[in-house]
Every structure is written in C-alpha cells, then in structure tokens.
Amino acid sequence: MDAGKSGYVGSKVDLRCQFINSVPPVKISQVTWQKLVNGSKQNVAIANPSLGVSVAPPYRDRVAFRNAAVRRRTPTLEDTTVTFSSLRLSDEAAYICEYTTFPAGNREGSVNLTVYARPTTQMSLSTPTLVARATNAKMPVATCVSANGKPPGTIRWETRVPGEATTKEFQNSDGTITVQSDYILVPSKETHQETLTCVTTHNDEVFTDSVMLDIQYEPEVLVDGFDGNWYLNRENVQLSCQADANPGVSLYQWRLVNSTIPSNVEIQDNVLTFKGPLTYDLEGTYVCDATNSIGTRSAAVEVSIIEKPLPQVATSDVISVIALLLAAGVLMGITVTVLVLKIRSRKNADNNDSPSGKLSQPIRKRPVDDIQHPYQSSDPEAGSKTASLNRPPSKNTFCPPSHATAIFKYPPVPGASSPPPGVAPYTFPKEQYV
C-alpha cells in the first residue's frame, strides 16, 4: 500500500492494496476496506469469494474495486485497489486494507488519504464609491478573498500604487479556511484607473484576479485661450475652461472679478466668445467655476488688452535661423581646426630646418657682458667713446645691436709701437644673441 494519497474535492483517487501471496499460496477468505474514525473502524467495501462484492451505503455511488477480476464469479483477490470518485472533505482519513487468509490469519496495511479544497479567488472594490478627500486619510480600496481553501491560500498584491495590506482568516464549519486581504491607501486623482492584482497561491497552483480603481475627485480646472497678444480691434478670440474630473463636470459658470461680464461676451457652457473687436473695456480677471458631484473648483486668467499686436516670428523662420547658426558654427570649427594643424605643421618644419634646432641649448648672458671694454686713453675723443661704451644701459631700454659684427680698436698706448704697415687693427667678433 502507499503511505499516503491526496486529491482535491470533486476529483478521483486510487487507494492501492496488493497482496503478495506465499509459495505455496495461502487461501484468501475475504478482503475488507475500513475507514479509521476516532479510533474505531467503519466498513467501506468487502470482497468475498463466496458472497461477492459489497460496498457500504455512504460510499456505494463513489467507491468501487478497480480490478474487474475482483467482481468475477471466481474472483482474483491479489489486487484489491479501490477508486474513490467525487472526493469529499469528509473522506479524509486513514483507510485499512485487511486480508483474511487460511491458515496464515489476517494481514493488513493502511494509507492516509488527504483531501484538499481548491479555493476560489474574488476581487472587489472595498466600497461602492471611492472619493479623494482633502484629509488624505487612508482607507481600504480593494478586497481580495480566497474562499473555502484547504489548506488556506496565501495572498499577495501586485500593483504600482504604494499602499499596505491587512489579512484575516476565517475558519469554516466544513474544515476549509477563507482568507481576506484588504489593500489600504490614500485615494487620489493619481490612483484613478490604476490596477490592483491579487495573487493567491495554493499548494503549487497560482490564481490571479484584478480590479481597476475608480476614484472620484473634484475638478482640476484650467482656463485656456489667452495668449498675451490680445490687442485693440482683434476679433474671434475665446476663453475655454478645461476641467479634469471624475465624475464629469455637470456645471460651468463664468464670472468677472469685481464686475459683470460684458454684453458682447457670449457664454456657451465652458467657452467664452468675445464678439466684435476687442476694446479696453474687456480687460479683467475672468474666473471659471467647474462643478461635479464631488465639489467645485475654480481657475482664473487675467486678460489685458494691448494697443498693437506683438511681432510674430514664424516657426519656420526660427528653425531656419537655428539651422544656419549651427551650420556656421560647424564650419568655423572645421576652419579653426585646419588652421591649427597647419600652424603646428609649419612650426615643426621650421624647427627641423633651422641650425639652432640642431645646436645644444645656448648659455644665456647678460647684455653688458657682450660689450668689450677697451683700455683707458688720454685721447679725449677716445675717452668719450670709451665712456659711452662703458655706460651701462638704462633700465628696461636695452636692445641688441642690429649689426652682425662690431669692430673695436685699442686706443693708442704711450710707449707702444703702432701695428706694422699693412696690418689691420684687430677686430672683435660680435657674439650672436639667442
């Protein structure tokens, strides 16, 4: 026999019972199926080689021996498996299969039958009317029920709407359990037409049901039509009162603050039509009141009349100007990039071709070190030249000489011989400034 079997209410299940006979075989006198209730045994079905098959009245329409050989005139009783049809919760119990044999006596085994009840899932709004209130109070908006389950189902919520869930269980008289879960949130316009999904898990089965929130709220109102360019003698202008409400707006009312609406302004439900040319008399604050069954909300617009129309710029012209500016910017960027690359290339070429590029780094000298100082002379003219040469340059006014070389002569020294004829005075090369 199997240690345990299970099935759902209304389904079919087999309770196996097989007898492995000995060698030589013993004689089977009778097979009896019994239900163990509170420690006592109740007969369910009997198979007897002489008397045939008998099923107790409470099970007669739902219990039968699966093996047809058991029901023959000369039955075979080694396999006496019974089939339960249309399972009921009351069928859950331990069942005993007992063999009566000769000369071995009685042999028996048992199987535990578990009966499950598949719950039904139902979703509904918690109250007929859900209203968004200014108090922002939390309230149950939807209820999910997993009814008559055995074991009880588990409920979770799937939704984009932030909220919290509360769950309760109720024990039923037939042994099943009903689970109720309420989803709690603050009703608002933003939660209107949002979907709440209840997911119930029972054993390995998953059931879902959904409901869409229907939140009623006061109108949200906007006055449209004034573009800031209402000028004298302009015609065919209107103000429109736009309202978002649930339920819809049942009444629109227009008024002019601190005045009455002029006679040349026509009221048609949510639209104000200004007939004829505009004048300064039409200026003011126009208010629209929108009403539904939940409440009334208002919106206003300040209408001002200017003398001349404002200059209008065509959208196509604006787009064209923007496109031209973008094209000019791209072209300028390309040009600057090309110029920079050319300048860098030219600098690199000059550095590679110039001799200075091949020399080691020169030693910088002070400008005064580049001037050769002659000996002192008694010649006034020479002395003046010498003084001029020895005079230090004025601050921040030194400029390198423009000559490539400079020739300096020693002044005559008393007692010294002059250079031989044909010999030029010694020249000192001018060092190059770098």
Side-chain angles (χ1 to χ4, degrees), residues 117 164 400:
E164 57 188 35

Side-chain angles (χ1 to χ4, degrees), residues 115-138:
V115 180
Y116 298 127
R118 186 177 283 107
T120 57
T121 302
Q122 182 180 0
M123 279 278 292
S124 63
L125 295 175
S126 298
T127 58
T129 303
L130 298 172
V131 180
R133 302 292 184 185
T135 56
N136 291 331
K138 293 183 178 181

Side-chain angles (χ1 to χ4, degrees), residues 366-377 382-393 398 406-411 413 426 428-431 433:
R366 293 180 298 170
V368 295
D369 295 338
D370 296 330
I371 301 176
Q372 304 294 330
H373 298 281
Y375 294 105
Q376 298 294 329
S377 172
S384 63
K385 293 181 181 180
T386 304
S388 64
L389 290 173
N390 290 335
R391 184 184 301 117
F398 174 77
I407 300 175
F408 299 91
K409 297 180 180 181
Y410 285 109
V413 179
Y426 182 77
F428 293 88
K430 180 67 175 67
E431 290 185 7
Y433 285 92

Side-chain angles (χ1 to χ4, degrees), residues 110-427:
S110 64
V111 57
N112 290 317
L113 174 61
T114 303
V115 180
Y116 298 127
R118 186 177 283 107
T120 57
T121 302
Q122 182 180 0
M123 279 278 292
S124 63
L125 295 175
S126 298
T127 58
T129 303
L130 298 172
V131 180
R133 302 292 184 185
T135 56
N136 291 331
K138 293 183 178 181
M139 62 177 296
V141 296
T143 300
C144 180
V145 177
S146 175
N148 305 321
K150 183 177 177 295
T154 59
I155 296 177
R156 62 183 176 88
W157 293 87
E158 291 182 353
T159 180
R160 300 185 304 175
V161 182
E164 57 188 35
T166 60
T167 303
K168 296 179 291 185
E169 291 187 359
F170 304 93
Q171 186 77 37
N172 301 317
S173 58
D174 59 357
T176 61
I177 298 175
T178 296
V179 182
Q180 176 180 323
S181 181
D182 296 322
Y183 200 76
I184 300 174
L185 54 77
V186 178
S188 64
K189 174 182 177 296
E190 290 72 26
T191 59
H192 177 54
Q193 291 186 339
E194 288 288 346
T195 300
L196 298 178
T197 300
C198 168
V199 181
T200 301
T201 303
H202 184 263
N203 290 344
D204 295 331
E205 298 179 322
V206 178
F207 310 92
T208 61
D209 198 0
S210 300
V211 67
M212 180 176 291
L213 294 178
D214 184 14
I215 309 295
Q216 297 184 358
Y217 51 91
E218 293 179 340
E220 290 192 355
V221 189
L222 173 68
V223 177
D224 191 17
F226 180 70
D227 58 1
N229 192 26
W230 286 23
Y231 51 87
L232 289 175
N233 298 321
R234 181 177 175 179
E235 297 182 351
N236 300 322
V237 293
Q238 292 180 333
L239 292 179
S240 175
C241 186
Q242 308 295 330
D244 178 15
N246 183 40
V249 175
S250 57
L251 177 63
Y252 288 96
Q253 291 179 309
W254 289 93
R255 53 192 169 91
L256 182 59
V257 177
N258 299 327
S259 183
T260 58
I261 294 180
S263 59
N264 59 339
V265 178
E266 181 182 3
I267 301 176
Q268 294 179 339
D269 200 14
N270 67 321
V271 177
L272 278 186
T273 302
F274 292 75
K275 294 186 174 182
L278 293 178
T279 62
Y280 289 123
D281 296 336
L282 299 176
E283 290 184 326
T285 302
Y286 290 84
V287 180
C288 172
D289 300 323
T291 303
N292 68 353
S293 60
I294 306 302
T296 300
R297 298 284 291 275
S298 303
V301 62
E302 180 72 24
V303 173
S304 59
I305 309 299
I306 59 179
E307 182 180 358
K308 296 180 180 180
L310 297 174
Q312 302 293 320
V313 179
T315 305
S316 58
D317 295 339
V318 175
I319 295 176
S320 300
V321 171
I322 294 175
L324 289 175
L325 291 176
L326 290 176
V330 172
L331 182 60
M332 183 178 294
I334 294 175
T335 304
V336 171
T337 303
V338 172
L339 289 176
V340 170
L341 293 177
K342 285 186 176 181
I343 291 172
R344 288 182 178 178
S345 176
R346 186 175 299 172
K347 286 185 176 180
N348 292 334
D350 292 343
N351 291 334
N352 293 332
D353 295 340
S354 64
S356 61
K358 301 177 182 180
L359 297 176
S360 61
Q361 184 177 1
I363 301 176
R364 184 177 299 275
K365 295 185 178 182
R366 293 180 298 170
V368 295
D369 295 338
D370 296 330
I371 301 176
Q372 304 294 330
H373 298 281
Y375 294 105
Q376 298 294 329
S377 172
S378 61
D379 186 359
E381 183 179 356
S384 63
K385 293 181 181 180
T386 304
S388 64
L389 290 173
N390 290 335
R391 184 184 301 117
S394 61
K395 186 177 183 180
N396 298 331
T397 59
F398 174 77
C399 295
S402 60
H403 303 289
T405 59
I407 300 175
F408 299 91
K409 297 180 180 181
Y410 285 109
V413 179
S417 62
S418 300
V423 178
Y426 182 77
T427 60

